[in-house]
Amino acid sequence: MSWWDDVFHRALVAAVLVGMLAALVGVQVVLRRLSFFTMAMSHATFPGVVAASIIGINIYLGGALAGLLVAIAVAALTRVRGQDAAAATGVILSAGFALGVGLVATQNGFSRDLSSFLVGSILTVSTGDLVVIAAVLGLVGLVSTLGARQLLFVGFDRVGAHAAGYRPGLVDLVLLVGIELVIVAVVPVVGTILTLALVVAPAAAGRAWSDRIGVITALAMFFGAVSGVAGLLVSSAYDVAAGASITLVATAILLLSLVGGGWLRPVLRRLRTGASAGPAATDPYR
């Protein structure tokens, strides 16, 4: 049997790829404060993958279609007079998750295969799943690199970005599609309930150590990969759910970063500003 044929070895590769992918898009989620919206998207993906599994079509397609419908529904509800984005997102979150649970209940008992979408099943990933995750990671990484300045500009100053010739609406759409692609790729591995933690925790941990987008992104992807591998090893050693272990490790890294970063960041900032002069020292694009 080759190295690749071992289930645990494939799970290790999946843990690294998923950790890096979730953390990469998580940087934008954290900086734009889209955590609640991301949670709604991940929960609303659940009925899509369940319906796809019942019908017999590709679960990635089902999840993507469900996420697209949710995004349209949220946008429509926010246009209703007297409604805000948070309220609309909350309603869609509950409705989408309830629909998924209802679909599962229509089967003969509570199907283990379908319920695995709630908490993930990293040990059952196939080569096809890894190809999809790697492809999404490459695509999101390419878009994040080429559109780094636009994403940052629009995220912090929409009016200024529009005046500079950018199209904030298009940038927001690209980001939304990117988040949905990541969720669809990650959900089969860590589940709808745990996806948000893996998206937000590594990025927030990276944010605790630096103000620079490049540094935050690199740290977030590193923390995401470490969370995946360490969580899987803990799961194997103590026979606990892999998705839960990965989430707990990511949370622990975040807590340690908040404590360590809060103490060390001022020291690093003073050293950096002392070694560099001028506005380039605080340029967030570097």
Side-chain angles (χ1 to χ4, degrees):
M1 183 176 66
S2 67
W3 186 92
W4 188 254
D5 292 329
D6 187 272
V7 172
F8 186 76
H9 291 162
R10 286 203 304 271
L12 277 176
V13 175
V16 172
L17 292 177
V18 165
M20 294 175 64
L21 175 59
L24 178 58
V25 77
V27 173
Q28 292 298 323
V29 170
V30 168
L31 292 179
R32 292 196 179 206
R33 300 179 181 178
L34 294 174
S35 299
F36 186 56
F37 178 76
T38 303
M39 180 172 65
M41 294 285 283
S42 64
H43 280 61
T45 299
F46 179 53
V49 295
V50 172
S53 180
I54 293 174
I55 297 172
I57 64 175
N58 188 281
I59 62 172
Y60 293 110
L61 177 60
L65 291 176
L68 179 61
L69 291 176
V70 168
I72 294 173
V74 170
L77 284 177
T78 55
R79 292 179 178 272
V80 177
R81 191 171 184 178
Q83 292 289 340
D84 59 22
T89 303
V91 171
I92 296 300
L93 185 156
S94 300
F97 195 72
L99 177 60
V101 173
L103 288 173
V104 170
T106 62
Q107 303 306 295
N108 295 326
F110 197 79
S111 171
R112 182 177 180 181
D113 290 336
L114 295 180
S115 63
S116 68
F117 291 121
L118 289 172
V119 294
S121 183
I122 193 171
L123 293 177
T124 62
V125 294
S126 64
T127 301
D129 294 327
L130 294 178
V131 170
V132 170
I133 296 170
V136 175
L137 176 59
L139 178 61
V140 173
L142 180 63
V143 173
S144 299
T145 301
L146 296 179
R149 185 173 293 270
Q150 293 91 323
L151 288 168
L152 186 63
F153 205 164
V154 172
F156 285 92
D157 187 359
R158 295 182 64 86
V159 176
H162 189 273
Y166 296 124
R167 300 172 61 182
L170 180 59
V171 173
D172 289 341
L173 178 61
V174 171
L175 177 60
L176 176 64
V177 172
I179 293 174
E180 176 56 26
L181 286 176
V182 170
I183 290 173
V184 171
V186 169
V187 160
V189 178
V190 296
T192 55
I193 295 178
L194 305 177
T195 293
L196 180 66
L198 196 57
V199 169
V200 174
R207 181 71 177 85
W209 291 101
S210 178
D211 295 320
R212 297 171 180 264
I213 300 299
V215 176
I216 294 173
T217 302
L219 286 175
M221 295 180 70
F222 172 73
F223 290 148
V226 169
S227 299
V229 173
L232 189 60
L233 293 176
V234 169
S235 171
S236 176
Y238 296 98
D239 195 24
V240 296
S245 298
I246 292 172
T247 301
L248 290 175
V249 172
T251 303
I253 290 175
L254 172 59
L255 294 177
L256 291 174
S257 296
L258 290 175
V259 174
W263 172 78
L264 191 58
R265 271 181 67 184
V267 177
L268 294 177
R269 187 181 297 113
R270 285 195 295 269
L271 291 175
R272 186 169 63 244
T273 54
S276 304
T282 57
D283 181 4
Y285 298 106
R286 296 184 61 193

